[in-house]
Amino acid sequence: MSAQAFGDADTLFMERALALAERGMYTAAPNPRVGCVIVDRGTVVAEGWHERPGEAHAEIAALRAAESRGRDVRGATLYVTLEPCNHVGLTPPCTEALVAAGIGRVVAAMPDPNALAAGGAGRLRAAGIRVDIGLCEREARELNCGFISRVTRGRPFVRMKVAASLDGRTATGDGRSQWITSEAARDDGHAWRARASAILTGIGTVQADNPQLTARAVATPRQPLRVIVDRHAQTPREAKVLQGGALIVTADARNDAWPHDVEHVALPDAQRRVDLHALMQMLARRGINELHVEAGARLNAALLEAGVVDELLAYVAPSILGDPAYGLAQFHAARGLEERVLLAFESIDRIGADLRIRARVLSGAAA
């Protein structure tokens, strides 16, 4: 159904469903973030959202809310940010519950990209329920960019965060980077950490900054998995990033000095470096939807060269560091304009004294 066929009221109710879906921002993964609103004759009857795996999907939560209030939903319109599922997973199919409840119309923001769960619209239409899909689809896809990436591409959505001076420098000549940007920008960065399923860094950052890589400025019920790319297994046992467990990916054998709660995986490529494509596939198999990268110039460049970065999240401070400070990506060889990484700006916002730039990667930097 085209966007022009939806009315203003449809848009209003779907925007509410999207706001509800955001309540699962830090808890829904590896499932999608989904919100739902049930409307009868222009009045909201009930609402729901998917909170965490194994618990009710948004549609079921809304149906239960209506039932608890003694509200009849027969003939009502259900607005949901994702096509209702049509398969048995940890919970029964939502389609059957909607048919049994007598819902008259379903408006979904986007079709389900997961082949295992798709087909909900067809099942509902076969039962005589009107189904319209495509309202606020861009916003719904943005909310679940990681889930979509994992189920369609077999790898997470990769967001690379950098903090830089106005001249694009991420560290001084002696490697110091704390702190280029303001506290407000760092707090905002923690919110982006929290929405990710995992945070990736490299051994260089561990050795230079000894970061914790936890989400500390937002209230989140779980911490993302911390992943360290460490080719030669050099991460010190006492590194802060290992406190509470982490995953270290190497091209060599495990370091016997690491604590027992540190997981190790060796993924060497033909050059005995960490195979970044294999790493992304492994993380997807572990249910990682969004991967947040906070690394140094060398690993940033390697990820860009591998073509696995989807978005750049850049905090730009009102300062100039000059040479010989480090840039955000250190490629192995000089590059011409034809080899540049092309971006598309998504948004530019003021965060404290700094600017936050979100840009999608249009082309990788493959050599």
Side-chain angles (χ1 to χ4, degrees):
M1 185 175 186
S2 66
Q4 290 78 8
F6 295 109
D8 292 342
D10 290 325
T11 301
L12 181 67
F13 294 130
M14 185 59 77
E15 288 175 345
R16 175 57 183 167
L18 287 165
L20 290 167
E22 290 184 4
R23 296 188 183 184
M25 181 68 72
Y26 307 137
T27 57
N31 290 353
R33 301 155 181 146
V34 183
C36 178
V37 176
I38 300 177
V39 177
D40 185 24
R41 288 174 292 226
T43 300
V44 174
V45 172
E47 300 177 335
W49 69 91
H50 182 53
E51 187 169 353
R52 57 177 52 89
E55 297 189 4
H57 287 189
E59 302 95 315
I60 305 304
L63 289 174
R64 289 175 179 172
E67 182 179 11
S68 70
R69 297 168 188 164
R71 301 298 299 269
D72 187 354
V73 299
R74 286 177 293 181
T77 298
L78 182 141
Y79 296 85
V80 63
T81 57
L82 182 68
E83 176 187 4
C85 68
N86 193 45
H87 83 303
V88 177
L90 295 178
T91 58
C94 291
T95 51
E96 299 308 315
L98 299 182
V99 171
I103 291 293
R105 178 191 180 205
V106 170
V107 180
M110 60 172 287
D112 195 328
N114 186 359
L116 295 176
R123 171 68 184 94
L124 294 172
R125 288 172 177 140
I129 298 174
R130 176 183 170 184
V131 179
D132 300 320
I133 299 178
L135 177 61
C136 300
E137 182 168 356
R138 185 180 187 278
E139 294 86 346
R141 288 185 174 276
E142 181 70 24
L143 186 62
N144 282 306
C145 57
F147 174 76
I148 295 169
S149 177
R150 181 173 63 81
V151 301
T152 61
R153 302 190 298 177
R155 69 169 181 84
F157 182 92
V158 179
R159 181 178 293 112
M160 178 181 289
K161 179 256 184 180
V162 296
S165 60
L166 186 60
D167 55 339
R169 303 305 182 181
T170 61
T172 59
D174 58 2
R176 290 180 293 124
S177 62
Q178 298 177 335
W179 300 103
I180 291 177
T181 53
S182 65
E183 183 177 359
R186 296 196 297 274
D187 287 350
D188 188 73
H190 278 260
W192 288 92
R193 283 184 181 182
R195 69 171 280 168
S197 302
I199 302 174
L200 179 75
T201 195
I203 180 60
T205 299
V206 172
Q207 292 175 328
D209 297 337
N210 194 21
Q212 297 180 58
L213 289 187
T214 54
R216 301 184 296 278
V218 295
T220 175
R222 61 105 179 100
Q223 288 291 335
L225 171 69
R226 292 172 292 177
V227 184
I228 304 109
V229 174
D230 180 3
R231 181 180 182 182
H232 299 301
Q234 297 172 308
T235 301
R237 176 186 177 88
E238 64 275 10
K240 292 179 181 178
V241 73
L242 300 188
Q243 296 174 7
L247 168 63
I248 302 181
V249 184
T250 72
D252 293 329
R254 180 187 176 95
N255 186 332
D256 292 335
W258 290 336
H260 293 299
D261 61 351
V262 170
E263 184 180 357
H264 167 254
V265 175
L267 294 174
D269 64 11
Q271 289 75 42
R272 300 298 300 176
R273 297 175 299 192
V274 172
D275 187 328
L276 297 176
H277 290 283
L279 171 59
M280 296 304 154
Q281 293 165 4
M282 180 197 69
L283 292 175
R285 291 193 296 270
R286 295 174 66 113
I288 302 300
N289 287 343
E290 294 182 32
L291 177 65
H292 182 90
V293 176
E294 292 194 25
R298 290 186 179 180
L299 182 53
N300 284 349
L303 291 164
L304 288 166
E305 286 182 325
V308 298
V309 179
D310 296 296
E311 182 173 272
L312 188 69
L313 181 68
Y315 295 88
V316 181
S319 62
I320 296 174
L321 292 182
D323 290 332
Y326 291 97
L328 65 88
Q330 184 178 344
F331 296 107
H332 293 294
R335 313 182 71 83
L337 281 176
E338 70 281 358
E339 297 175 294
R340 59 186 167 174
V341 179
L342 297 178
L343 307 171
F345 291 131
E346 291 288 312
S347 64
I348 302 175
D349 300 288
R350 182 77 174 262
I351 306 293
D354 307 308
L355 295 180
R356 183 189 66 196
I357 300 172
R358 287 180 55 233
R360 288 290 166 86
V361 178
L362 299 180
S363 65

